[in-house]
Structure formats: structure tokens, C-alpha cells
Amino acid sequence: MKTIEREVVIEFEERKSKFIGYAKPVQSKIEAEEFIMSIRNRHRDATHNCSAYKVIDNGQEYFKVDDDGEPSGTAGKPMGEIINYMEVDNVAVVATRYFGGIKLGAGGLVRNYAKTAKLALIEGNIIDFISKKNYLLDFSYDKIGEIDSIINDEDIENKDFNERVTYRVKIAEDVYKKLKDMKDIIIIDL
């Protein structure tokens, strides 16, 4: 299974219409829909905010496309086909279009929405998907250096320093196994 490495934004112009493509790796249907809504809110003044996502969450596949007012099948569907063609999962793509005054026709819309999705996915750097889970780690201050050497900074969502240290993390199975083998650390599955 493949996904993209990072959230990205691409942009190009076609016959005076401005296309802005957003792609983000996501772990759940809810995360995909929240991402799409955040882009729609950011570009409320856009002519269209078309989207597609494909998520495999707990063995269930969710696949959804949305033309957002473009002629049926000319925006979301070609974006979804690019996701499938490039064999990428757990990803959400949004194409924001500002109409430039020149009609592109159905074929032009299909080509440009597909192009938007493809450029965004390529820019996001397609990688092998690594499943990650949320955990709460509780440990003493003397373990900070050892734990920080095992966990990547981008996997740490929150740090609390009280009587003991608490990290909220999203980590892969191999990292979990390393932490589980350590002494004086409490790991809570969230």
C-alpha cells in the first residue's frame, strides 16, 4: 500500500482559470472530510472546490468524489481515477478552481482536474504506507533522551512535563515494540 509523505499545495493556470491542488495523507474518513472542509472554508470565494479521497481504515475502504457544482463526472471522478491509477491510499485531494472567464468544456475540465490531482500527488512524494497508532507514554525525566532518540519529532503530538513526562504520540509498530521493551515506561493505547 502506498500514500504520500506530506501535505502539499500546487498551482497552475489554464486559459485564465486558476487551479490550486491540495493533497494530504490521512488516516481516517473523518480526517479526510475535515481536510476537505478546511480547504473549502479557506477558499469560500472559489468557483469550485472539488475533491476525492480514498481511505482504508480498520479494513474498511472509503472512496468518495465530489464535483462541487462542475458538470457531473468532470472533476471529482477524474481526480478519483488518478488516485486509483497511481495506486495511492489514505489520501485526500482537493482542487480549487477560480474561473477565469473562458469555458474549458467537459474535456478540458476532466484533463485539468486530473492534472491537478496528479501534480499534487507527485509533489506529495509517493511512499510506502506505514500504519501508525496513537499512544500515551508516561515516563520519568531521566528517560527523555532515550525516548527522544527512538521517536521522530513529527510523531510527537503533545508533550507534558509534570511529576513525570507524558507524550502523546502517533507511532508505527516497530517504534512501539522498541518502547515496549524499555523499563519504567507506561504505554496507553488510545
Side-chain angles (χ1 to χ4, degrees), residues 30 40 49 73 109 144:
I30 292 169
R40 285 189 171 161
N49 286 292
L109 292 173
I144 291 175

Side-chain angles (χ1 to χ4, degrees), residues 119-137:
L119 290 175
L121 292 174
I122 290 169
E123 182 69 23
N125 191 26
I126 296 172
I127 58 168
D128 287 328
F129 174 76
I130 298 170
S131 180
K132 294 184 177 184
K133 289 182 67 180
N134 290 311
Y135 296 97
L136 200 60
L137 310 178

Side-chain angles (χ1 to χ4, degrees), residues 16-131:
K16 297 188 180 182
S17 278
K18 181 178 178 182
F19 287 87
I20 307 168
Y22 297 87
K24 180 181 180 180
V26 292
Q27 297 283 328
S28 67
K29 175 184 172 192
I30 292 169
E31 187 180 358
E33 291 177 352
E34 286 174 350
F35 171 68
I36 291 165
M37 190 55 62
S38 73
I39 301 302
R40 285 189 171 161
N41 288 336
R42 186 182 309 169
H43 293 284
R44 285 191 178 117
D45 59 335
T47 315
H48 304 281
N49 286 292
C50 305
S51 59
Y53 68 79
K54 184 177 182 184
V55 178
I56 298 172
D57 186 11
N58 290 325
Q60 177 70 41
E61 181 179 303
Y62 300 95
F63 183 78
K64 184 176 179 184
V65 298
D66 182 9
D67 293 319
D68 191 39
E70 289 284 25
S72 182
T74 61
K77 183 179 177 193
M79 292 167 62
E81 288 172 353
I82 291 295
I83 291 172
N84 284 330
Y85 174 76
M86 296 181 80
E87 299 177 340
V88 181
D89 296 308
N90 288 36
V91 67
V93 180
V94 181
T96 298
R97 177 180 177 215
Y98 288 92
F99 181 60
I102 300 173
K103 291 191 176 192
L104 302 176
L109 292 173
V110 168
R111 280 190 302 279
N112 285 289
Y113 280 109
K115 176 181 175 180
T116 304
K118 185 175 182 181
L119 290 175
L121 292 174
I122 290 169
E123 182 69 23
N125 191 26
I126 296 172
I127 58 168
D128 287 328
F129 174 76
I130 298 170
S131 180

